[in-house]
Amino acid sequence: RFFYFLSKWTRLIFFVFPGHAEPIVRIFAYFYCTDSPIDHFGFLEDGTFKQRYLVADKHWQHPGGPVLFYTGNEGDITWFCNNTGFMWEIAEELGAMLVFAEHRYYGESLPFGPDSYSDSKHLNYLTSEQALADFAVLIQNLKSTVPGAQHSPVIAIGGSYGGMLSAWFRMKYPNIVVGALAASAPIWQFPGMVPCGDFYKIVTQDFAKSGYNCDASIRKSWNAIKNVSSTASGLQWLSEEFSLCTPLKNKIDALGFKNWLQETWVNLAMVDYPYEANFLQPLPRWPIQEVCKYLAFDSAVSDRQLLHGVSQAAKVYYNYTGSSSCLNTSQTATGSLGFLGWYYQACTEMVMPMCTDGVQDMFEPEEWNFQAFSDGCNALFGVRPRAEWAGTVYGGKDIASHSNIIFSNGGLDPWSAGGVTYNITDSLVSIMIPDGAHHLDLRYSNDRDTPSVRAARALEVKYFREWIHQAKTTPGTASTL
Amino acid sequence: RFFYFLSKWTRLIFFVFPGHAEPIVRIFAYFYCTDSPIDHFGFLEDGTFKQRYLVADKHWQHPGGPVLFYTGNEGDITWFCNNTGFMWEIAEELGAMLVFAEHRYYGESLPFGPDSYSDSKHLNYLTSEQALADFAVLIQNLKSTVPGAQHSPVIAIGGSYGGMLSAWFRMKYPNIVVGALAASAPIWQFPGMVPCGDFYKIVTQDFAKSGYNCDASIRKSWNAIKNVSSTASGLQWLSEEFSLCTPLKNKIDALGFKNWLQETWVNLAMVDYPYEANFLQPLPRWPIQEVCKYLAFDSAVSDRQLLHGVSQAAKVYYNYTGSSSCLNTSQTATGSLGFLGWYYQACTEMVMPMCTDGVQDMFEPEEWNFQAFSDGCNALFGVRPRAEWAGTVYGGKDIASHSNIIFSNGGLDPWSAGGVTYNITDSLVSIMIPDGAHHLDLRYSNDRDTPSVRAARALEVKYFREWIHQAKTTPGTASTL
């Protein structure tokens, strides 16, 4: 329960489930490591660490062919490498080298090895600025050591937090990358930039349009849980109904149970893909429609009837394959490195306000409470978040002077609430995928892909070609110098 | 002699002589302090320090009038405030507020008070990135607290290292400043960007064109010093001839003496202004012409005749007012904070290669030796410089995607060797002042100002107006949001 205070908001991770990756069978990437300074912004700590990156150069046309550079996010890079099929599919037509760079403190790129998470002293170098500097130094190293890469234009690609890094990488290091695709990147999910309730509104809309009374049933379920869990026998019934691995014992457990359910609905909104997929969990196509089949209740439904439906719905997410003997409510709150790292980042730079009102969304009302959040961070890590810093250092809404960034967003994806969903300038463009969930465009293509995501991918490649051409023909850029 | 290894190169400071400032009499600025995080890029060190800044708002047209923001460099901010007359002179016509922000670790803005320079642990936060973040946070604070400043466009202005900071500030924080004037800012004086010998070539050219055989005499003087200093009586003669406060005793002293002379010629090149001025020292107008009057020798001159001329020349620089009873060869190498801070910066990020060949310049040949430099830094501070970092983080020659930066350079200024002396794009422009020395354009206007510097200042103001207009009329910028 140590993470309870955080779980409500920041457990809204993007994706840190390395256990669920599809096996790397279709791709052929080489693993490398580069030595990167542990501290790019100070000189007292002069150690280096082994940063892992993967390279696939089968289709690379060298010298000078482009490099598609995945800016790794909060997890093992092999998982992102395997899940970013878009890059694998366009490598040949662009004659591109693929590089997937692991983010420091995740996967095997641990600055202090097993001690990296031991205390706040060792965690001190886990920041987005350090990660961007790692990427910059890595690319400079590749350009100076890989024959034929010296004048290769580099395009940054990333999804979710990795997409934020791609956008910021282009903003801060336009000398290193000629452009960036920031897929489903909520660069505006920071204090004062977007309403804190928009995220959960989108989750709610996804359910509202996927089945009769689907959002209304979920909205009612919280009170039903409260009623049922008020007695010991009710708690026992709930535990059995949901096949929980660890039965609920008291009100605290019931609170955790509600959070777990809330996260389940959020995760479903993120992975509401048009085909069977195994991204966070093995799931059917359009999984929210499947879920909503169990939630089509009229207002007269009893608490236990309603919750029976909810349990069936939850099992669509947690037991689609039928192989789970019980459901584990701490499943999305393990102490794994990926989680702990993201918690730390949320507790320092990545302050992303969220709130619910129970009216425009289907969740229990809860205001954004920065002070409580800060106190929790201080108790957990001994650090306090800096609410304004991300806006100051990455520009907030005032980014019009930058160039060559695509912001793609899925209309079903709650993270689009904090995304750039309109063109800012001719070269800071938005691509909307109305029926897309969380960075659908970065995934392998599929026969069931909707026209909107097919169009998005084609447009993205078109911009890539323009940036490459621009880099090759404009004096004073890394590719022509 | 501790600084000997550094003195040859990095003692080429820009200006850190707070003792020689003209008194602040003409200006009316208020002193303030803001609390800034000691470490913007990590959260373990969560302390703040008092950063000093000066504000003059007499002519400010608020709400919304522009802010001219001086990005302080390696010294006491009051000195820069007093020496940057250009800003004071244009405040009224632009209706601008003036802000002069002190650079951390200089003047009174000491992150750890008197302990700031006590060891490399305390020096760890002395970097340009931290300084830029200070400026960004300060401006955000001003905008949110000063009534009428919320939508004020801010223009960064700086000279020399401060000019580098201005340019980098616009590159890294275009959300905070709408443009930058980088006066005499050698942003390319880094490894691999410009030939290491160009700096001293320009010094030499200044002397070559300021009097008959002036450069040739100086080129010969080094051997003359070597000859004369080979005997004890010669050392005594030299010491008396130059009225040295501390007589030379051995060859090591003679080496230091030569370095001191070399720095003297460099400093003269930096301050070769068209009128009497007291910038680094009280000096006559066109001081190099005065110096060269004592150096117009033909080839037949004897060593002692030549050195007599050199001593007369040096005294133009060190004793123009006649008030010095002796010359102090350690004058430009004191252990004052300003120096020590710049040494540290040179030993970490600000790696600026310099070299001489004795043919295209008038100095003794000396190659750039990074390893020796690094070893010296390690011995002195326990840190090693990162030669490539400045180019990676600030873009090196690949800065064409940025906008709204003026690079002004004086043709007489040796630092123009590392400056941007041609237009990169329509909004990354160079302004050359052929007969100008080190950021002459930032100084108070003078009746003896040449047409070129008058034109430069007028053009700079024209750009300022354009940027202000642009900020006020373009959506998606801080001034219109």
Side-chain angles (χ1 to χ4, degrees), chain A residues 151-421:
Chain A
H151 299 296
S152 288
V154 181
I155 292 172
I157 298 177
S160 204
Y161 169 53
M164 297 159 72
L165 291 174
S166 281
W168 295 337
F169 196 27
R170 170 63 187 170
M171 293 180 196
K172 292 296 186 183
Y173 296 87
N175 50 314
I176 309 281
V177 287
V178 302
L181 168 58
S184 296
I187 64 164
W188 288 343
Q189 191 68 47
F190 289 94
M193 299 184 202
V194 293
C196 60
D198 283 2
F199 181 94
Y200 283 99
K201 269 196 227 175
I202 294 174
V203 177
T204 303
Q205 287 158 13
D206 290 351
F207 284 79
K209 63 189 169 197
S210 296
Y212 175 71
N213 267 358
C214 192
D215 59 323
S217 295
I218 293 174
R219 187 180 287 110
K220 283 169 73 172
S221 71
W222 312 113
N223 210 37
I225 293 169
K226 186 181 163 201
N227 294 338
V228 170
S229 65
S230 64
T231 66
S233 64
L235 283 169
Q236 191 185 344
W237 179 85
L238 257 186
S239 304
E240 287 169 7
E241 178 59 44
F242 279 82
S243 309
L244 298 184
C245 303
T246 309
L248 307 175
K249 294 207 170 57
N250 50 43
K251 282 190 175 176
I252 304 285
D253 287 354
L255 282 177
F257 173 72
K258 285 199 286 190
N259 280 337
W260 170 78
L261 268 183
Q262 179 164 334
E263 286 162 39
T264 304
W265 310 140
V266 169
N267 286 348
L268 275 162
M270 283 168 59
V271 298
D272 196 23
Y273 296 130
Y275 47 82
E276 280 205 354
N278 181 359
F279 188 59
L280 301 183
Q281 296 277 356
L283 287 175
R285 65 184 297 241
W286 297 123
I288 296 184
Q289 289 184 14
E290 292 300 310
V291 161
C292 287
K293 287 176 183 166
Y294 300 102
L295 297 169
F297 296 108
D298 281 311
S299 55
V301 66
S302 74
D303 285 347
R304 295 205 178 195
Q305 275 178 308
L306 174 62
L307 293 177
H308 175 71
V310 170
S311 85
Q312 298 304 104
K315 285 170 185 169
V316 170
Y317 184 73
Y318 289 109
N319 198 17
Y320 177 59
T321 58
S323 61
S324 299
S325 58
C326 63
L327 303 196
N328 181 357
T329 59
S330 61
Q331 182 170 345
T332 61
T334 66
S336 77
L337 289 192
F339 275 103
L340 197 54
W342 183 251
Y343 287 166
Y344 180 82
Q345 294 195 257
C347 271
T348 50
E349 297 180 301
M350 299 298 149
V351 179
M352 299 183 161
M354 301 269 182
C355 62
T356 49
D357 66 6
V359 178
Q360 295 187 284
D361 54 65
M362 62 189 188
F363 301 98
E364 292 188 289
E366 183 154 346
E367 292 182 352
W368 166 247
N369 184 335
F370 177 73
Q371 190 56 51
F373 178 71
S374 176
D375 292 344
C377 289
N378 193 40
L380 182 54
F381 293 114
V383 297
R384 286 194 180 274
R386 295 177 188 161
E388 306 301 322
W389 175 241
T392 297
V393 70
Y394 294 124
K397 295 216 147 184
D398 187 9
I399 55 176
S401 68
H402 299 288
S403 61
N404 292 7
I405 305 176
I406 302 167
F407 297 96
S408 66
N409 278 287
L412 305 179
D413 180 16
W415 290 110
S416 69
V420 178
T421 54

Side-chain angles (χ1 to χ4, degrees), chain B residues 66-385:
Chain B
V67 175
L68 304 182
F69 186 91
Y70 188 88
T71 51
N73 18 348
E74 71 286 22
D76 189 298
I77 192 61
T78 60
W79 190 75
F80 298 104
C81 178
N82 197 32
N83 271 283
T84 311
F86 175 62
M87 285 171 64
W88 294 94
E89 292 182 345
I90 64 174
E92 186 168 4
E93 66 178 292
L94 292 174
M97 183 199 301
L98 305 184
V99 178
F100 297 85
E102 192 160 69
H103 191 299
R104 57 167 57 202
Y105 285 87
Y106 297 101
E108 297 183 2
S109 298
L110 302 174
F112 300 100
D115 295 332
S116 298
Y117 281 83
S118 57
D119 55 32
S120 58
K121 185 163 168 285
H122 289 86
L123 277 165
N124 192 46
Y125 308 99
L126 172 51
T127 67
S128 59
E129 291 91 341
Q130 299 277 10
L132 294 178
D134 287 339
F135 297 150
V137 167
L138 169 56
I139 290 173
Q140 296 290 63
N141 286 348
L142 291 175
K143 288 199 165 193
S144 62
T145 58
V146 176
Q150 193 188 348
H151 299 295
S152 288
V154 181
I155 292 171
I157 298 178
S160 204
Y161 169 54
M164 296 159 72
L165 291 174
S166 281
W168 295 337
F169 196 27
R170 169 65 187 170
M171 293 182 197
K172 293 295 185 182
Y173 296 88
N175 51 313
I176 309 282
V177 287
V178 302
L181 168 58
S184 297
I187 64 164
W188 288 343
Q189 191 68 47
F190 288 93
M193 299 183 201
V194 292
C196 59
D198 283 2
F199 181 94
Y200 283 98
K201 271 196 227 176
I202 294 174
V203 177
T204 302
Q205 287 157 12
D206 291 351
F207 283 79
K209 64 190 169 197
S210 295
Y212 175 71
N213 268 359
C214 193
D215 58 324
S217 295
I218 292 174
R219 187 180 287 111
K220 283 170 72 171
S221 71
W222 312 113
N223 210 37
I225 292 169
K226 186 182 161 200
N227 293 340
V228 170
S229 66
S230 64
T231 66
S233 64
L235 283 168
Q236 191 186 343
W237 179 85
L238 258 185
S239 305
E240 285 169 8
E241 178 59 45
F242 279 81
S243 310
L244 299 184
C245 303
T246 308
L248 307 176
K249 294 207 170 56
N250 50 43
K251 282 191 175 176
I252 304 285
D253 287 355
L255 282 177
F257 173 73
K258 286 197 286 188
N259 280 337
W260 170 78
L261 267 183
Q262 179 165 332
E263 285 163 39
T264 305
W265 309 141
V266 168
N267 286 347
L268 275 162
M270 283 168 60
V271 298
D272 196 24
Y273 295 132
Y275 47 82
E276 281 205 355
N278 182 359
F279 189 58
L280 301 182
Q281 296 276 355
L283 287 176
R285 65 184 297 241
W286 297 123
I288 296 184
Q289 289 183 14
E290 291 301 310
V291 161
C292 286
K293 287 177 183 165
Y294 299 101
L295 297 169
F297 295 109
D298 282 309
S299 57
V301 65
S302 75
D303 285 345
R304 295 204 177 195
Q305 276 178 308
L306 174 62
L307 293 177
H308 175 71
V310 170
S311 85
Q312 298 303 105
K315 284 169 186 170
V316 171
Y317 184 73
Y318 288 108
N319 199 15
Y320 177 57
T321 60
S323 61
S324 299
S325 59
C326 63
L327 303 196
N328 182 356
T329 57
S330 62
Q331 182 169 345
T332 59
T334 67
S336 78
L337 289 191
F339 275 103
L340 197 54
W342 184 251
Y343 287 166
Y344 180 81
Q345 294 195 257
C347 273
T348 49
E349 298 180 302
M350 300 299 150
V351 179
M352 299 183 161
M354 301 269 182
C355 61
T356 49
D357 65 6
V359 179
Q360 296 188 283
D361 56 65
M362 63 189 187
F363 300 98
E364 292 187 288
E366 184 153 345
E367 291 181 354
W368 166 248
N369 184 336
F370 177 72
Q371 190 56 51
F373 178 70
S374 176
D375 292 344
C377 290
N378 193 41
L380 182 55
F381 293 114
V383 297
R384 287 194 179 273

Side-chain angles (χ1 to χ4, degrees), chain A residues 39-45 120-121 124 127 172-175 348-349 384 386 391-392 395 398 400-402 476-478, chain B residues 39-44 120-121 124 127 172-175 348-349 384 386 391-392 395 398 400-402 476-478:
Chain A
D39 188 2
H40 292 280
F41 303 103
F43 292 75
L44 181 65
E45 169 57 72
S120 59
K121 185 163 168 286
N124 192 47
T127 68
K172 292 296 186 183
Y173 296 87
N175 50 314
T348 50
E349 297 180 301
R384 286 194 180 274
R386 295 177 188 161
T392 297
D398 187 9
S401 68
H402 299 288
T477 65
Chain B
D39 188 3
H40 292 279
F41 302 103
F43 292 75
L44 181 66
S120 58
K121 185 163 168 285
N124 192 46
T127 67
K172 293 295 185 182
Y173 296 88
N175 51 313
T348 49
E349 298 180 302
R384 287 194 179 273
R386 296 177 188 159
T392 298
D398 187 9
S401 68
H402 300 289
T477 65

